[in-house]
């Protein structure tokens, strides 16, 4: 049902939530160079996902694949509100966050293809983008699994900043989750600890209105006002229009800086919409084409493209050149991934952890474990090792 917003413009909101506050209208426009960079990131994520869908249909990508088309403004705007040293953790719809955080299209696509040049050496795939250099601590495939990790990352930075370095906490962790994760126990445990321990973490619910194929109204209490989920833990909550990059950036900038200053957690109900199904195998029979068309009229790239033209930050020719440049980059990434080697089977035993007391000697050992040609290289975390 359409929901009025505070600027008087109608908003077709499947979430049925409260009016979405507008923040960007009275803010100064960001620098033209920044606007051009954001536009390119939006287009890069969209083009990357389109090529992923094609590669999946060509059977070059296996397993699960959850594309991000329609939600690009969320990743770009949220990452722009962070500092590079701020940790970020997310769920399985993670390609957009990885690209926005600075991962190359080559590394991201090679991971999609399961090749050794991928960000996780081809062993993670679509749901497990990881980029320590850019402080991206993973996409995670289990619903809600990243929410306690977000609390843990925030605790680690707070401990390092305040206890080890004797200073004021300066890093903010951002943890993304879908609206379906709100009903997981791990989410509530994480928010309880975050509130109790004053952790500098921002939980961003990418509220696209559906938990897989279930409308949020059918599966979640208080679906009209998700802020109540956070207020019960004494955590400040905000509602932001996730289809508008400027609204995301300005709204998140306020939330992040307040979290950084006070070292207190925050919760954001980010209203958005995914154009495609939950995964590549989802035919989207739970919603109508009319509903999709309404949301496509408010496409985040179209909204931002109009804005940069109005601001004089880009011309029509510059927009076409940016789109062409992005297509070239993504085609190169596909070719790079296609030519990257498949990881050897023995690599299954590298870069994982084992219990420090040695190899398992029970009787239920998987056959594959005993069939390795090279000795396992599991190891425990070394004393004093900095995992951040």
């Amino acid at each position: 049902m359409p929901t009025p917003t505070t600027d008087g413009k109608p908003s077709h909101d499947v979430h049925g939530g409260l009016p979405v506050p507008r923040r960007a209208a009275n803010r100064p426009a960001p620098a033209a160079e920044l606007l051009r960079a954001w536009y390119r990131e939006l287009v890069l994520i969209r083009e990357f996902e389109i090529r992923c869908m094609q590669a999946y249909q060509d059977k070059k990508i296996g397993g699960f694949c959850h594309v991000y088309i329609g939600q690009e403004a969320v990743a770009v705007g949220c990452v722009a509100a962070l500092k590079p040293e701020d940790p970020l953790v997310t769920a399985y719809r993670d390609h957009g966050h990885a690209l926005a955080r600075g991962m190359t299209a080559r590394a991201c696509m090679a991971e999609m293809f399961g090749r050794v040049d991928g960000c996780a050496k081809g062993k993670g795939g679509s749901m497990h983008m990881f980029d320590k250099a850019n402080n991206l601590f993973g996409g995670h495939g289990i619903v809600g699994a990243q929410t306690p990790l977000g609390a843990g990352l925030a605790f680690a930075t707070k401990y390092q900043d305040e206890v080890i370095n004797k200073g004021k906490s300066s890093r903010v962790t951002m943890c993304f989750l879908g609206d379906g994760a709100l009903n997981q126990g791990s989410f509530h445990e994480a928010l309880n600890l975050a509130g109790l321990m004053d952790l500098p973490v921002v939980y961003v619910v990418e509220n696209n209105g559906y938990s897989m194929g279930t409308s949020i109204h059918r599966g979640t209490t208080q679906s009209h006002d998700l802020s109540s989920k956070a207020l019960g833990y004494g955590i400040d909550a905000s509602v932001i229009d996730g289809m508008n990059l400027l609204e995301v950036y300005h709204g998140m900038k306020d939330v992040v800086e307040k979290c950084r200053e006070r070292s207190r957690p925050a919760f954001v109900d980010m209203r958005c919409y995914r154009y495609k199904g939950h995964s590549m195998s989802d035919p989207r029979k739970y919603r109508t084409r009319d509903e999709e068309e309404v949301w496509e009229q408010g496409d985040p790239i179209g909204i931002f493209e109009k804005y940069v033209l109005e601001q004089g930050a880009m011309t029509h020719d510059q927009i076409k050149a940016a789109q062409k440049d992005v297509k070239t980059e993504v085609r190169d990434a596909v070719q790079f991934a296609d030519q990257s080697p498949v990881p050897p089977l023995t690599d299954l035993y590298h870069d994982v952890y084992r219990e420090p007391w040695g190899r398992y000697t029970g009787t239920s050992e998987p056959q594959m474990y005993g069939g390795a040609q090279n000795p396992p290289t599991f190891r425990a975390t070394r004393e004093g090792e900095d995992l951040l």
Side-chain angles (χ1 to χ4, degrees):
M1 295 291 292
T3 299
T5 59
T6 52
D7 62 358
K9 296 179 180 178
S11 171
H12 294 271
D13 188 354
V14 296
H15 320 92
L18 302 172
V20 180
R22 299 286 163 180
R23 297 173 175 82
N26 299 320
R27 305 293 180 89
E33 183 179 1
L34 193 56
L35 294 176
R36 289 192 288 271
W38 287 348
Y39 179 76
R40 193 182 189 286
E41 288 180 15
L42 289 174
V43 177
L44 174 63
I45 295 172
R46 177 72 58 89
E47 181 69 15
F48 184 90
E49 298 289 57
I50 290 172
R51 297 303 171 191
C52 282
M53 293 172 64
Q54 293 175 343
Y56 191 90
Q57 290 166 344
D58 292 340
K59 302 186 186 305
K60 292 185 176 181
I61 296 175
F64 294 98
C65 181
H66 309 82
V67 296
Y68 199 60
I69 295 174
Q71 298 181 210
E72 297 90 345
V74 178
V76 175
C78 286
V79 170
L82 292 172
K83 293 181 178 179
E85 62 268 27
D86 291 330
L88 186 154
V89 64
T90 184
Y92 44 78
R93 200 180 306 280
D94 58 352
H95 318 154
H97 307 89
L99 293 171
R101 205 73 216 265
M103 184 184 292
T104 66
R106 279 186 166 193
C108 198
M109 190 64 80
E111 190 60 37
M112 298 292 293
F113 278 48
R115 305 302 176 93
V116 296
D117 292 305
C119 63
K121 302 178 183 178
K123 293 188 283 188
S126 170
M127 297 193 287
H128 302 100
M129 296 294 157
F130 192 93
D131 187 357
K132 185 175 183 294
N134 285 310
N135 289 305
L136 170 63
F137 291 90
H140 295 269
I142 297 175
V143 175
Q146 75 283 12
T147 51
L149 293 177
L153 286 163
F155 177 83
T157 59
K158 187 180 176 77
Y159 188 83
Q160 287 184 338
D161 294 338
E162 295 185 352
V163 178
I164 296 178
N165 297 323
K166 310 296 183 186
K168 187 177 183 299
S169 178
S170 60
R171 284 174 287 177
V172 170
T173 294
M174 189 169 289
C175 179
F176 292 89
L177 58 150
D179 46 273
L182 291 174
N183 306 319
Q184 296 291 97
S186 57
F187 165 76
H188 296 277
E189 292 171 10
L191 255 67
N192 185 57
L193 278 178
L196 196 65
M197 303 175 75
D198 292 330
L199 299 181
V201 53
V202 180
Y203 286 102
V204 181
V205 180
E206 295 196 62
N207 181 3
N208 58 33
Y210 293 96
S211 306
M212 295 185 71
T214 302
S215 165
I216 189 172
H217 304 308
R218 296 179 58 212
T220 300
T221 58
Q222 293 293 101
S223 59
H224 67 289
D225 184 10
L226 297 181
S227 64
S228 61
K229 307 286 184 182
L231 296 178
Y233 296 104
I235 295 174
D236 290 346
S238 305
V239 181
I240 295 176
D241 178 3
M243 303 298 279
N244 186 314
L245 173 53
L246 289 175
E247 294 291 340
V248 175
Y249 172 70
H250 287 299
M252 290 304 297
K253 195 73 176 172
D254 292 344
V255 170
V256 168
E257 291 312 312
K258 189 174 180 181
C259 179
R260 197 185 306 281
E261 180 181 343
R262 298 173 54 201
S263 187
R264 281 288 299 165
F267 174 96
V268 177
D269 177 3
M270 188 71 75
R271 304 289 175 81
C272 55
Y273 196 77
R274 58 170 158 77
Y275 293 167
K276 304 300 177 183
H278 171 73
S279 68
M280 287 296 294
S281 60
D282 177 5
R284 322 199 295 277
K285 291 183 178 179
Y286 46 84
R287 64 191 194 194
T288 66
R289 183 58 192 149
D290 287 345
E291 177 189 304
E292 293 179 346
E293 287 180 351
V294 168
W295 281 89
E296 287 168 3
Q297 290 171 12
D299 179 64
I301 296 180
I303 292 174
F304 193 67
E305 191 173 292
K306 181 181 178 184
Y307 178 79
V308 295
L309 286 168
E310 290 174 348
Q311 291 294 318
M314 296 181 78
T315 65
H316 288 284
D317 287 342
Q318 287 175 318
I319 284 175
K320 289 180 180 177
Q323 293 171 346
K324 183 179 179 181
D325 183 56
V326 162
K327 287 184 178 180
T328 300
E329 181 178 346
V330 177
R331 277 199 298 269
D332 168 76
V334 171
Q335 186 176 23
F336 174 80
D338 223 4
Q339 295 174 351
S340 177
V342 173
L345 184 61
T346 51
D347 267 14
L348 287 172
Y349 304 105
H350 292 256
D351 305 316
V352 294
Y353 293 91
R354 69 176 304 184
E355 297 293 351
W357 48 78
R359 182 175 177 174
Y360 177 67
T361 56
T363 56
S364 60
E365 188 175 25
Q367 186 64 36
M368 181 181 291
Y369 185 95
Q373 296 178 3
N374 294 332
T377 57
F378 303 152
R379 66 172 177 80
T381 305
R382 299 186 184 93
E383 185 178 357
E385 185 174 27
D386 180 10
L387 293 179
L388 288 176

